[in-house]
Amino acid sequence: MTNILEAIYNIAIQNDFQIKALYTGRNRANGMGDALENYIKDAFADTFGVSQEIERMKKFNQNFSWLGSQNNPPDIMIKNGDAIEVKKTQSSTTSLALNSSYPKSDLRNTNPMITKECKACEEWTTKDLIYCVGHTTDTSLKSLWMVYGNIYAANPETYERIKKTISTGIKTIQNVVFSETKELGRVNRVDPLGITNLRIRGMWQIENPRKVFDYLHSQTSNSFELISIIPVDKYKSFPEESIKKIERLKSKDFSIQNTNVKDPNNPAKLIEVKLIKYLVTE
């Protein structure tokens, strides 16, 4: 089964980052966001260069249990493996818009934003989550950061506390009618005629991983860069075949090193990680 190491290997071997040309010409994408998501799927499924759509579909079926629904997490789920969120930016340091979903350290099937079809697509309760953040131009992929949620976002309780406090505070307003909602709150019949309602929605953002982990890697003039940060415990859990494949990859543009990142729940503590870089110069 596929994993992040296989995806990194496939990207390094494929070495084509003109994603608009790769996907819009095959009627697989309506824009750069779709092109990026297709690129990530092909990287994990090892379907770069597969021209027959039926063959590509079969490989997706072998590797993925879920391929997303608009406005509901996640974008991709690997069978018996990790979940993936794909985010596109047109600036290398732009914050990521998460809208009504707060940052996630992992994916849990108790999350009310997850559809019932996603919950039933395989037997699962919790999945490790990979944020795949791509910086694109109008035609090409300039950088791709692949970062695990448990070194990027705090525990759910951190965000739930804020969300619940806001919701509870709203309900202290007198003489208004509240209704149950997955949002922060909904106030009905605000005016004397009872014809106006108020929806209260969270608009969450998180800093771009390039800014969060700027102590590990600073922006360069490379034509493309892939930066992946994987907790050491997670790295060691991958099949030996995948580890050997990535560690045997010989290229002056490719490197793997041991380092540390701040624990998002307590920055005084450090987490051991593997920092994988693939930097392409022209």
Side-chain angles (χ1 to χ4, degrees):
M1 201 57 64
T2 190
N3 55 62
I4 192 172
L5 301 186
E6 297 288 339
I8 293 168
Y9 180 87
N10 292 333
I11 289 171
I13 294 301
Q14 185 260 355
N15 204 37
D16 185 352
F17 312 109
Q18 301 300 313
I19 61 174
K20 182 176 182 180
L22 276 173
Y23 295 104
T24 55
R26 303 182 202 172
N27 296 319
R28 289 179 179 166
N30 294 319
M32 291 300 282
D34 288 342
L36 176 63
E37 189 166 323
N38 273 288
Y39 186 86
I40 298 301
K41 291 174 186 175
D42 282 339
F44 277 88
D46 191 17
T47 45
F48 286 128
V50 176
S51 58
Q52 295 295 320
E53 191 64 21
I54 189 66
E55 294 303 317
R56 187 168 178 259
M57 289 163 53
K58 287 178 180 177
K59 289 279 283 185
F60 283 7
N61 177 257
Q62 291 170 11
N63 288 283
F64 305 131
S65 61
W66 179 254
L67 288 178
S69 62
Q70 193 171 9
N71 301 322
N72 295 95
D75 294 312
I76 303 166
M77 288 203 325
I78 300 170
K79 283 184 180 178
N80 302 310
D82 300 333
I84 302 166
E85 280 280 306
V86 181
K87 299 293 181 183
K88 182 189 77 71
T89 70
Q90 285 196 302
S91 166
S92 61
T93 57
T94 301
S95 297
L96 310 187
L98 305 178
N99 298 323
S100 56
S101 293
Y102 55 73
K104 296 180 285 292
S105 58
D106 54 27
L107 189 73
R108 305 179 184 187
N109 65 6
T110 53
N111 186 324
M113 297 298 294
I114 297 175
T115 65
K116 63 180 182 180
E117 291 81 9
C118 179
K119 293 178 181 179
C121 70
E122 65 170 282
E123 290 291 331
W124 71 285
T125 54
T126 304
K127 283 181 173 281
D128 292 336
L129 180 63
I130 307 167
Y131 282 92
C132 292
V133 182
H135 166 214
T136 69
T137 65
D138 291 337
T139 59
S140 63
L141 180 61
K142 300 298 293 181
S143 72
L144 179 62
W145 284 68
M146 305 171 80
V147 177
Y148 273 89
N150 62 348
I151 57 171
Y152 187 33
N155 289 332
E157 294 75 19
T158 300
Y159 309 105
E160 283 289 343
R161 179 177 60 86
I162 300 297
K163 181 180 177 181
K164 289 178 181 178
T165 301
I166 293 172
S167 298
T168 301
I170 292 168
K171 291 178 181 178
T172 62
I173 302 172
Q174 297 181 352
N175 302 320
V176 291
V177 179
F178 298 94
S179 63
E180 291 299 319
T181 176
K182 293 180 181 179
E183 299 172 346
L184 290 177
R186 181 183 173 99
V187 183
N188 296 331
R189 304 172 63 85
V190 172
D191 53 345
L193 289 177
I195 59 174
T196 306
N197 304 324
L198 172 64
R199 293 174 61 191
I200 304 157
R201 305 183 65 187
M203 295 296 288
W204 296 89
Q205 288 185 330
I206 190 169
E207 291 284 8
N208 194 295
R210 182 187 293 280
K211 293 181 70 174
V212 176
F213 301 103
D214 60 1
Y215 54 91
L216 296 183
H217 178 77
S218 56
Q219 191 165 357
T220 67
S221 58
N222 295 308
S223 61
F224 172 78
E225 58 181 31
L226 184 154
I227 309 296
S228 181
I229 309 173
I230 306 172
V232 166
D233 289 347
K234 180 68 178 182
Y235 185 88
K236 291 179 178 179
S237 74
F238 292 125
E240 186 176 353
E241 179 183 353
S242 296
I243 295 173
K244 286 182 177 179
K245 181 188 288 188
I246 200 85
E247 292 183 351
R248 288 173 180 166
L249 214 153
K250 302 298 182 184
S251 170
K252 62 180 178 60
D253 303 320
F254 188 81
S255 65
I256 303 176
Q257 66 184 86
N258 295 311
T259 186
N260 297 280
V261 297
K262 301 171 187 175
D263 185 332
N265 296 294
N266 179 3
K269 294 184 178 180
L270 299 178
I271 299 173
E272 293 183 339
V273 298
K274 293 282 187 177
L275 175 63
I276 300 176
K277 296 184 181 184
Y278 178 55
L279 310 177
V280 179
T281 57
E282 289 183 336

